């Protein structure tokens, strides 16, 4: 990035701050389209120092350059060139049409219907349909679409026809949204959730400022081939809202081990399936978590499981194929003689997901058998018919001991 361009933008903001009687501009946020994608660029001036960052985490590059050029305006400078935005605003050549992706999803639905969910794992027609979806999608494959393929394969392999049918129902809704004129809010919201930030619309993304978040767990999730995703769960210590940060394999993400306390200066949050996806843009990490922070998590954890059940139903109904609700629960008591059951003060129950005999579940059983008394439990929610279940990721005992499973 040109130093002269940065200096010109600094001068322009400084002059405006001195000449404006109504107030000084401290921060400017704008959407910039460059190299075929839209990123949100934030420029701030504090104590005479100019700071700029793009929503992709970069503090330089075509999006930041275009934003600085806009702020600098028409001020003459030696390195003047044609506006960067106009030169780079073209989209990638020969983009994949939505109709092709919608047809590929319809082909998958027909293939699974013909052979049945119980035989889909070995059906060449299903494999071919999934391959066609990959060909119709943009590269790299959007995270929602990749996760859909991973979840469908997982449910088919595990013999859960009800969950697989729910995922396919969500795919049918997405195909209908792609085939429509795209004017309804529901269709645009669904398309953005599946295809990511490049398909965003006004209101799809929100900026978060000055938040303190505690990361309580991480996991690797399956996607399409060679495209698994590391998901991180962060709890807003003020509101109790749970966010997720998704990191595709071989891609960068925010720094620090788990658990960690993150002071977020600026983050971008996307609407869509719960928990909302967040990207940390300006932040400070504290790897040592004090007891007061753990106690605060216990205060914001859910104590009414009835409300949790209603929220789960609502989330799954809105995004059948993509919703993977995550919850913090503070049980009134725990019973684990015949399997784990968390019970709230009104007698409502949440069971442990017994069909998923992975390491964290076994570690949780071992923890309970050693006499641990959970103050709160963090985990992903699922269901077995009418029974709400939780797959635990982390637990804090009433003595204050944190255990990441």
């Amino acid at each position: 990035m040109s130093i002269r361009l940065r200096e010109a933008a600094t001068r322009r903001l400084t002059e405006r701050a001195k000449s404006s009687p109504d107030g000084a501009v401290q921060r400017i946020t704008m959407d910039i389209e460059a190299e075929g994608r839209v990123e949100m660029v934030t420029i701030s001036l504090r104590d005479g120092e100019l700071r700029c960052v793009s929503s992709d985490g970069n503090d330089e590059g075509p999006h930041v350059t275009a934003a600085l050029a806009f702020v600098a305006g028409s001020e003459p400078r030696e390195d003047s060139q044609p506006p960067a935005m106009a030169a780079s605003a073209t989209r990638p050549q020969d983009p994949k049409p939505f109709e092709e992706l919608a047809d590929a999803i319809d082909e998958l639905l027909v293939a699974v219907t013909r052979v049945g969910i119980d035989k889909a794992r070995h059906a060449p027609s299903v494999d071919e349909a999934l391959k066609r979806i990959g060909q119709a999608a943009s590269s790299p494959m959007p995270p929602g679409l990749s996760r859909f393929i991973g979840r469908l394969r997982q449910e088919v392999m595990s013999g859960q026809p009800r969950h697989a049918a729910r995922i396919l129902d969500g795919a049918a809704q997405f195909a209908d949204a792609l085939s429509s004129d795209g004017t309804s809010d529901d269709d645009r919201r669904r398309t953005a959730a599946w295809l990511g930030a490049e398909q965003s619309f006004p209101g799809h993304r929100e900026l978060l400022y000055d938040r303190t978040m505690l990361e309580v767990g991480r996991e690797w999730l399956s996607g399409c081939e060679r495209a698994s995703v590391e998901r991180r769960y962060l709890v807003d210590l003020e509101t109790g809202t749970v966010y997720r940060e998704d990191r595709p394999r071989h891609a960068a993400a925010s720094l620090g081990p788990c658990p960690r306390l993150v002071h977020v200066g600026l983050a971008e949050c996307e609407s869509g399936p719960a928990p909302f996806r967040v990207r940390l843009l300006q932040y400070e990490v504290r790897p040592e978590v004090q007891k007061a922070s753990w106690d605060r998590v216990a205060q914001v954890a859910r104590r009414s499981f009835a409300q949790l059940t209603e929220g789960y139903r609502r989330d799954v109904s809105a995004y059948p194929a993509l919703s993977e609700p995550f919850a913090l629960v503070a049980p009134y008591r725990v019973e684990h003689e015949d399997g784990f059951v968390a019970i709230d003060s009104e007698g409502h129950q949440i069971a442990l997901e017994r069909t998923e005999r992975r390491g964290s579940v076994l570690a949780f059983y071992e923890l309970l058998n050693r006499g641990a008394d959970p103050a709160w439990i963090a985990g992903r929610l699922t269901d077995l018919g009418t029974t709400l279940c939780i797959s635990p990721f982390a637990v804090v005992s009433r003595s204050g001991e944190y255990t990441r499973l």
Side-chain angles (χ1 to χ4, degrees):
M1 181 196 307
S2 169
I3 297 178
R4 296 180 184 274
L5 178 59
R6 183 183 288 270
E7 292 175 346
T10 303
R11 284 194 299 269
R12 176 56 61 90
L13 289 178
T14 303
E15 291 171 359
R16 289 181 63 89
K18 293 180 179 179
S19 62
S20 175
D22 299 325
V25 176
Q26 296 290 331
R27 180 188 287 130
I28 299 175
T29 301
M30 63 191 81
D31 288 336
I32 299 295
E33 183 178 10
E35 296 185 348
R37 71 181 193 278
V38 177
E39 297 291 348
M40 190 176 298
V41 179
T42 298
I43 298 177
S44 61
L45 182 64
R46 293 185 178 179
D47 299 327
E49 182 181 356
L50 186 73
R51 298 180 181 180
C52 46
V53 63
S54 173
S55 56
D56 59 5
N58 293 322
D59 57 4
E60 57 184 31
H63 295 85
V64 173
T65 300
L68 289 173
F70 177 83
V71 171
S74 58
E75 178 178 324
R77 56 185 189 274
E78 296 179 7
D79 62 339
S80 295
Q81 295 191 7
M85 245 189 344
S88 59
T90 56
R91 292 194 172 275
Q93 296 296 319
D94 191 24
K96 297 290 185 180
F98 283 168
E99 291 79 5
E100 183 179 350
L101 180 57
D103 290 343
I105 294 175
D106 286 337
E107 180 181 318
L108 173 65
L109 298 174
V110 171
V112 175
T113 302
R114 284 176 175 171
V115 302
I117 292 178
D118 56 336
K119 298 180 181 179
R121 58 187 296 186
H122 301 301
S125 59
V126 175
D127 292 338
E128 185 63 28
L130 290 172
K131 181 180 179 181
R132 185 185 170 192
I133 290 176
Q135 294 172 344
S138 59
S139 182
M141 182 176 289
L145 193 59
S146 174
R147 181 57 181 145
F148 155 73
I149 293 176
R151 289 191 70 192
L152 180 62
R153 285 174 170 163
Q154 182 179 356
E155 299 299 347
V156 168
M157 291 288 291
S158 63
Q160 293 289 327
R162 182 178 58 259
H163 290 175
R166 181 187 299 163
I167 293 172
L168 292 172
D169 176 48
Q173 296 178 18
F174 174 51
D176 290 342
L178 292 178
S179 302
S180 69
D181 55 12
T183 57
S184 74
D185 289 342
D186 287 342
D187 287 345
R188 291 190 299 170
R189 189 177 296 107
R190 184 168 287 111
T191 301
W194 280 76
L195 299 184
E198 291 188 7
Q199 302 300 327
S200 64
F201 56 92
H204 175 63
R205 296 190 290 182
E206 175 189 2
L207 290 181
L208 305 177
Y209 301 100
D210 301 327
R211 305 291 182 93
T212 300
M213 300 184 183
L214 177 61
E215 182 183 336
V216 296
R218 297 181 183 182
E219 65 172 333
W220 281 100
L221 299 173
S222 60
C224 62
E225 293 183 5
R226 300 184 301 277
S228 53
V229 173
E230 182 192 52
R231 180 165 294 173
R232 305 169 176 196
Y233 298 97
L234 301 130
V235 182
D236 188 321
L237 294 186
E238 180 179 355
T239 65
T241 304
V242 179
Y243 298 96
R244 60 184 168 94
E245 183 185 18
D246 289 348
R247 181 181 73 87
R249 189 178 294 274
H250 307 308
S254 62
L255 304 177
C258 180
R260 57 180 176 149
L261 196 65
V262 186
H263 297 291
V264 180
L266 176 64
E268 182 184 66
C269 176
E270 298 180 10
S271 64
F276 294 152
R277 181 165 51 206
V278 68
R279 287 196 288 177
L280 306 185
L281 305 179
Q282 297 173 353
Y283 62 94
E284 179 183 351
V285 176
R286 291 182 56 184
E288 294 184 4
V289 182
Q290 303 298 322
K291 183 179 182 301
S293 297
W294 294 123
D295 293 342
R296 178 57 186 165
V297 175
Q299 294 174 9
V300 299
R302 293 292 190 94
R303 284 173 164 75
S304 173
F305 297 167
Q307 296 178 358
L308 200 64
T309 301
E310 291 303 317
Y312 176 83
R313 290 172 178 165
R314 184 172 56 253
D315 293 337
V316 172
S317 176
Y319 297 96
L322 300 181
S323 181
E324 298 180 271
F326 188 91
L328 290 168
V329 298
Y332 180 73
R333 70 177 189 274
V334 174
E335 297 179 356
H336 54 97
E337 293 181 0
D338 255 349
F340 161 78
V341 175
I343 305 173
D344 66 10
S345 59
E346 299 174 344
H348 300 107
Q349 300 181 357
I350 295 182
L352 180 70
E353 168 60 282
R354 302 180 185 180
T355 62
E356 193 174 355
R357 305 293 294 183
R358 56 193 180 91
S360 63
V361 173
L362 298 177
F364 187 60
Y365 270 127
E366 182 180 350
L367 197 65
L368 294 177
N369 289 331
R370 293 204 307 263
D373 186 12
W376 58 261
I377 303 164
R380 185 151 42 89
L381 296 177
T382 183
D383 68 275
L384 295 175
T386 59
T387 304
L388 189 64
C389 305
I390 187 169
S391 295
F393 282 86
V395 59
V396 165
S397 66
R398 299 193 188 279
S399 63
E401 180 183 0
Y402 166 81
T403 303
R404 178 185 171 192
L405 302 173

